[in-house]
Amino acid sequence: IAHTPSDAKATAQTMATYFNRPVNYIHNPTAMSKPSDAIGYVKDLTQATTQLFGRITAEVNDLVEHLRSLCSQTGDQGKVLHLCHSQGVLITYLAAQKLDPSEQRKIEIIAFGGAAAITTTEFPNFARCVNYYSLNDPLLQIVPPASRALSTGLLSFSAATGEPEFVFLTPRGNDPIVDHGLLGPTYKDLVCLEGRRYIDKYETVTYKAYDLATSAQARMDHLCR
């Protein structure tokens, strides 16, 4: 909601630095023409509300095609890491219902502050699902699986990875709006952590050696200045 194409591009460029590779992103269009456009903001909220009731919008279909295209490029053993945030998680939840099991098996879902929760209990074919929530995230209370996991302490674990599928975080900004931001003080470190996990798990030994060498050179350059 309320993110322009330039916002999406800037976020993708920042995330690319964490993953050490370009990010293939898809933008959820906003009806807002400027930050103070209240009418556009209401239209964005209305769109999200219809999706909460299960409406398949053009944005959902666009994401299905985006993910299918990436899956087709990975080969039999490849993986697609799909990071989503806020309304983007809801759009992903709806798109997941239209993906084939063979496509789901290639996808890891990493969700932040979602307006829906995506778990392998409901989608058992996904390679991995993890839902991160700041404890003061405004959306936490409107997502029943997430609020139930928090209130009962009964966390579901992925059969494929053994990881908890809900991770609750102490807010760092002490402001629900600030802490809800994908690159805000609470979620940013987890995005970075996921980047390191990706590099450790999926990058080649040659690439890791190059990354280590360039990082060491960068540190040396810094020390020499």
Side-chain angles (χ1 to χ4, degrees):
I1 289 177
H3 277 66
T4 65
S6 59
D7 292 332
K9 182 178 181 180
T11 298
Q13 289 173 337
T14 299
M15 291 173 64
T17 65
Y18 301 150
F19 287 80
N20 275 352
R21 62 172 46 240
V23 172
N24 292 293
Y25 70 95
I26 183 167
H27 175 238
N28 175 35
T30 178
M32 295 177 65
S33 60
K34 55 185 178 181
S36 60
D37 184 358
I39 294 176
Y41 186 73
V42 170
K43 289 181 179 179
D44 282 0
L45 285 176
T46 300
Q47 178 208 54
T49 300
T50 64
Q51 292 168 343
L52 276 171
F53 286 98
R55 181 172 177 237
I56 303 298
T57 63
E59 295 76 21
V60 175
N61 290 326
D62 287 346
L63 179 59
V64 171
E65 294 308 311
H66 177 76
L67 291 173
R68 278 188 173 148
S69 174
L70 293 176
C71 286
S72 71
Q73 298 172 42
T74 62
D76 293 339
Q77 302 301 318
K79 287 288 186 290
V80 174
L81 271 66
H82 178 64
L83 280 72
C84 46
H85 171 249
S86 194
Q87 185 191 4
V89 184
L90 174 58
I91 293 173
T92 300
Y93 176 87
L94 296 172
Q97 300 171 32
K98 304 186 74 173
L99 294 171
D100 297 333
S102 60
E103 293 166 334
Q104 293 182 13
R105 280 191 283 272
K106 292 185 175 183
I107 301 173
E108 295 188 12
I109 301 290
I110 306 163
F112 298 85
I118 303 173
T119 68
T120 55
T121 301
E122 189 168 1
F123 299 101
N125 293 301
F126 277 129
R128 178 183 180 227
C129 294
V130 59
N131 298 268
Y132 292 111
Y133 282 97
S134 175
L135 287 172
N136 65 344
D137 195 304
L139 296 187
L140 175 57
Q141 300 306 320
I142 69 167
V143 180
S147 58
R148 185 165 54 248
L150 177 62
S151 63
T152 64
L154 299 176
L155 303 181
S156 61
F157 288 81
S158 167
T161 66
E163 294 178 285
E165 296 193 315
F166 291 99
V167 178
F168 300 106
L169 308 167
T170 300
R172 294 193 173 184
N174 295 318
D175 181 313
I177 303 303
V178 170
D179 288 310
H180 177 67
L182 179 60
L183 297 181
T186 300
Y187 293 141
K188 181 178 179 180
D189 284 349
L190 272 301
V191 177
C192 187
L193 183 67
E194 288 290 345
R196 296 311 307 177
R197 177 188 178 277
Y198 162 78
I199 292 169
D200 290 343
K201 187 174 178 66
Y202 292 116
E203 290 292 4
T204 64
V205 172
T206 302
Y207 183 91
K208 289 178 185 177
Y210 170 78
D211 180 50
L212 183 63
T214 54
S215 296
Q217 182 63 49
R219 287 194 296 272
M220 182 62 69
D221 290 344
H222 177 73
L223 289 172
C224 291
R225 290 190 182 120

